[in-house]
């Protein structure tokens, strides 16, 4: 293949260089397009064909169902690594050795205390507040408690901000849930691992010693790993674009949390469970809901199905489906919702509407079932996704700042009124 793309506009032709990735993905570099063509731009709503950056963090091939973080396959990471190792690899480029991991963990633990005044902010939220809104606000509020903005030219400063947010974020997550449940806001223990502490902080009762279930700990490790990064998705692109204005790390992450909240993105895990519950309440008639999903006059979509980039299968969904079976079996949970989910999946996989549009279960079709078996309230599901995605957002923000990328600022094609005269209010 030539390494030049040719574009013909009217009588003029232009040439643009091709950019090739390490997995042979190809892009046309149109950096000079507007200048060379006297104002022509590209338009691509939803950025379905637009690459926003070159990145060395995550590779995915939606046609083949491949997902790799820093070159490591998601299957191997989910099977062999723990979440903190994966977080380190995403943020720093390689899996850590034993000393590096120990130092990383101990630096995070040293930052795992939140200013007590944050409790006052939490107190001000009504108990009915959605945890994603609370978490986004609290993450933004951390900026006020740690005001110095990150000096990205200082490796030490960058590292401090990273361990600070990795230490404090699980505390905010646990406190967000506990406040809703009327439980005292607690802390983890320096003798426990990162994921173990998340569970302790979330589930410890004030009058009982928390006993860790290895089944639940392993399942959470896996879920967090599977959600840890997914290249330039909606929330990650948000983090990068907010950070591109040189807003700080915490402010950028807070924006990413808001982007993740939507039901077309991370909010899908909550929406899936609510949908499965609704189908159960309605008598379990999956065919009725399949018909609704296919009816173009009905806004209902089969939540947990379809993906912008996976057009064969979502490799994370395959791992999660097996994990859901395992966890429910190990915990002895018999959840009728799982039967409804299996029924819907089977029908969709054999239905021409879904097959033709390449709509397969995504990562969130089964994750909610595991979260529910763990005792996590439905409203917290997307918060758990945010907890997993945190290292990915950090890695992407760090990469963007270190590469000194320009401020993200797309253009548009204007379709409004042409110049017209102002009419005074009396004459309108
Ligand atoms: N149920 C029914 N029909 C669907 C679904 C669905 N879940 N998803 C897509 N379609 C249909 C669309 O109506 C469209 O049909 P048409 O070609 O006849 O108009 C076609 O499939 C293509 O859909 P788009 O919306 O154009 O695909 P896009 O890539 O923009 O959207 C998305 C992907 C948002 C994930 C979509 O599939 C969806 O809404 N799924 C349900 C929500 C969900 O599960 N989101 C989680 C995504 S994973 C994540 O963020 C972690």
């Amino acid at each position: 293949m030539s390494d030049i793309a040719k574009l013909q506009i009217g009588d003029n032709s232009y040439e643009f260089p091709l950019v090739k990735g390490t997995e042979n993905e190809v892009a046309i570099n149109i950096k000079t397009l507007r200048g060379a063509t006297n104002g022509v731009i590209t338009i691509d709503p939803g950025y379905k064909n637009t690459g926003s950056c070159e990145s060395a963090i995550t590779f995915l091939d939606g046609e083949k169902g491949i997902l790799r973080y820093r070159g490591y396959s998601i299957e191997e990471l989910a099977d062999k690594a723990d979440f903190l190792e994966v977080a380190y690899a995403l943020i720093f480029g390689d899996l850590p050795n034993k000393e590096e991991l120990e130092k990383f963990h101990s630096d995070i633990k040293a930052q795992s205390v939140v200013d007590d005044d944050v409790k006052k902010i939490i107190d001000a939220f009504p108990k009915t507040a959605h945890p994603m809104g609370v978490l986004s606000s609290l993450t933004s509020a951390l900026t006020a408690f740690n005001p110095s903005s990150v000096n990205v030219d200082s490796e030490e400063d960058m590292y401090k901000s990273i361990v600070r947010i990795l230490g404090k974020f699980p505390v905010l997550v646990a406190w967000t849930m506990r406040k809703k449940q009327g439980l005292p806001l607690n802390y983890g223990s320096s003798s426990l691992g990162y994921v173990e502490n998340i569970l302790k902080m979330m589930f410890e009762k004030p009058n009982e010693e928390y006993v860790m279930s290895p089944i639940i700990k392993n399942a959470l490790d896996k879920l967090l790993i599977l959600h840890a990064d997914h290249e330039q998705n909606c929330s990650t692109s948000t983090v990068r674009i907010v950070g591109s204005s040189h807003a700080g790390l915490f402010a950028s992450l807070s924006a990413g949390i808001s982007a993740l909240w939507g039901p077309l993105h991370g909010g899908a895990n909550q929406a899936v469970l609510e949908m499965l519950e609704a189908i159960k309440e309605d008598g379990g008639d999956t065919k009725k809901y399949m018909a609704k999903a296919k009816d173009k006059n009905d806004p209902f979509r089969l939540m947990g199905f379809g993906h912008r980039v996976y057009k064969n299968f979502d490799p994370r969904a395959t791992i999660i489906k097996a994990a859901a079976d395992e966890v429910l079996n190990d915990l002895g949970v018999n959840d009728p919702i799982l039967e409804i989910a299996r029924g819907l999946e089977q029908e969709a996989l054999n239905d021409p509407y879904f097959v033709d549009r390449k709509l397969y279960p995504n990562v969130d079709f089964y994750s909610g079932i595991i979260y529910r078996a763990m005792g996590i309230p439905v409203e917290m599901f997307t918060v758990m996704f945010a907890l997993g995605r945190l290292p990915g957002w950090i890695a992407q923000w760090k990469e963007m700042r270190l590469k000194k990328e320009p401020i993200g600022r797309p253009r548009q094609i204007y379709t409004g009124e042409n110049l017209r005269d102002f009419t005074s209010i009396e004459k309108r």
Side-chain angles (χ1 to χ4, degrees):
M1 194 204 285
S2 133
D3 51 4
I4 295 286
K6 292 185 180 152
L7 175 69
Q8 184 85 27
I9 305 178
D11 292 336
N12 299 321
S13 69
Y14 307 90
E15 290 192 347
F16 300 97
L18 297 184
V19 177
K20 218 176 193 184
T22 44
E23 292 286 344
N24 295 323
E25 295 165 298
V26 179
I28 306 167
N29 181 341
I30 55 151
K31 261 188 209 165
T32 56
L33 173 70
R34 192 167 175 275
T37 56
N38 212 6
V40 176
I41 59 166
T42 58
I43 194 150
D44 184 19
Y47 311 118
K48 292 192 178 191
N49 307 280
T50 299
S52 60
C53 59
E54 291 177 40
S55 175
I57 301 170
T58 289
F59 170 68
L60 77 81
D61 181 327
E63 275 67 39
K64 295 191 185 132
I66 294 174
L67 174 62
R68 294 183 203 139
Y69 301 157
R70 299 290 188 183
Y72 303 106
S73 84
I74 193 65
E75 288 80 8
E76 215 175 359
L77 290 173
D79 191 35
K80 298 180 182 158
D82 72 24
F83 178 58
L84 208 57
E85 283 177 287
V86 171
Y88 186 100
L90 281 168
I91 297 168
F92 301 108
D94 287 306
L95 283 169
N97 62 29
K98 210 163 168 293
E99 290 73 44
E100 286 166 336
L101 185 61
E102 272 169 17
K103 180 178 183 315
F104 188 45
H105 191 200
S106 115
D107 292 338
I108 289 171
K109 278 196 264 195
Q111 290 295 333
S112 296
V113 175
V114 172
D115 192 306
D116 222 43
D117 280 348
V118 170
K119 290 181 181 166
K120 291 184 194 148
I121 305 178
I122 295 182
D123 273 344
F125 283 103
K127 275 211 174 107
T128 49
H130 193 284
M132 282 298 276
V134 177
L135 187 67
S136 168
S137 309
L138 294 179
T139 306
S140 185
L142 279 186
T143 315
F145 292 92
N146 302 278
S148 67
S149 65
V150 191
N151 173 6
V152 295
D153 295 321
S154 153
E155 212 175 301
E156 195 195 335
D157 220 32
M158 188 76 111
Y159 181 78
K160 266 194 202 148
S161 300
I162 291 168
V163 292
R164 189 175 285 149
I165 190 67
L166 283 167
K168 297 186 194 322
F169 199 72
V171 180
L172 300 183
V173 164
W175 286 5
T176 299
M177 182 177 107
R178 293 179 77 89
K179 160 77 181 174
K180 272 184 94 70
Q181 298 177 332
L183 289 169
L185 307 185
N186 62 348
Y187 274 109
S189 156
S190 58
S191 64
L192 293 177
Y194 191 75
V195 171
E196 290 169 328
N197 260 327
I198 293 171
L199 288 167
K200 176 183 180 295
M201 285 190 285
M202 287 178 78
F203 293 117
E204 187 178 47
K205 296 274 154 42
N207 55 350
E208 277 172 34
E209 197 186 326
Y210 180 66
V211 182
M212 188 81 51
S213 151
I215 300 165
I216 290 186
K217 189 257 164 199
N218 291 340
L220 183 57
D221 239 324
K222 201 171 273 197
L223 282 164
L224 296 177
I225 290 170
L226 293 174
H227 285 90
D229 195 45
H230 213 234
E231 51 118 298
Q232 307 313 316
N233 57 83
C234 177
S235 56
T236 302
S237 299
T238 302
V239 169
R240 285 184 83 124
I241 208 162
V242 173
S244 78
S245 75
H246 293 194
L249 175 60
F250 303 164
S252 308
L253 293 172
S254 164
I257 295 166
S258 298
L260 187 72
W261 191 357
L264 297 191
H265 190 14
N269 57 12
Q270 175 175 342
V272 169
L273 229 281
E274 286 166 352
M275 174 189 78
L276 294 174
E277 273 293 349
I279 298 176
K280 192 184 98 191
E281 292 304 309
D282 198 20
D285 185 357
T286 48
K287 292 206 164 46
K288 176 176 163 188
Y289 286 85
M290 287 291 289
K292 273 166 77 63
K294 294 188 282 183
D295 181 356
K296 290 291 167 203
N297 296 316
D298 189 325
F300 176 79
R301 280 191 165 198
L302 204 54
M303 298 314 289
F305 269 76
H307 199 276
R308 171 58 63 78
V309 289
Y310 291 121
K311 299 299 177 196
N312 260 324
F313 68 97
D314 179 340
R316 303 166 301 172
T318 313
I319 302 170
I320 283 195
K321 187 181 175 188
D325 282 339
E326 213 174 279
V327 171
L328 266 60
N329 194 28
D330 288 353
L331 294 176
V333 175
N334 187 9
D335 193 338
I337 290 271
L338 187 60
E339 278 317 305
I340 294 177
R342 285 194 187 118
L344 276 179
E345 182 182 359
Q346 271 322 306
E347 281 173 42
L349 292 179
N350 293 305
D351 189 306
Y353 174 96
F354 287 86
V355 175
D356 293 351
R357 289 171 179 74
K358 299 186 193 291
L359 301 170
Y360 296 86
N362 59 48
V363 64
D364 282 324
F365 192 61
Y366 283 103
S367 65
I369 293 171
I370 308 185
Y371 286 137
R372 186 156 109 142
M374 288 174 168
I376 296 175
V378 177
E379 273 196 340
M380 283 293 291
F381 289 1
T382 315
V383 167
M384 301 311 288
F385 189 156
L387 196 52
R389 187 52 58 88
L390 181 66
W393 286 334
I394 295 171
Q396 300 273 353
W397 182 90
K398 176 172 170 265
E399 181 182 72
M400 182 271 308
R401 288 302 312 268
L402 289 182
K403 283 174 107 175
K404 309 223 179 295
E405 282 181 9
I407 185 166
R409 203 296 188 192
R411 286 189 175 264
Q412 63 164 22
I413 293 293
Y414 175 69
T415 59
E417 298 286 345
N418 295 117
L419 181 64
R420 51 180 170 164
D421 291 331
F422 178 83
T423 324
S424 66
I425 195 153
E426 295 76 27
K427 291 190 183 153
R428 271 177 246 159

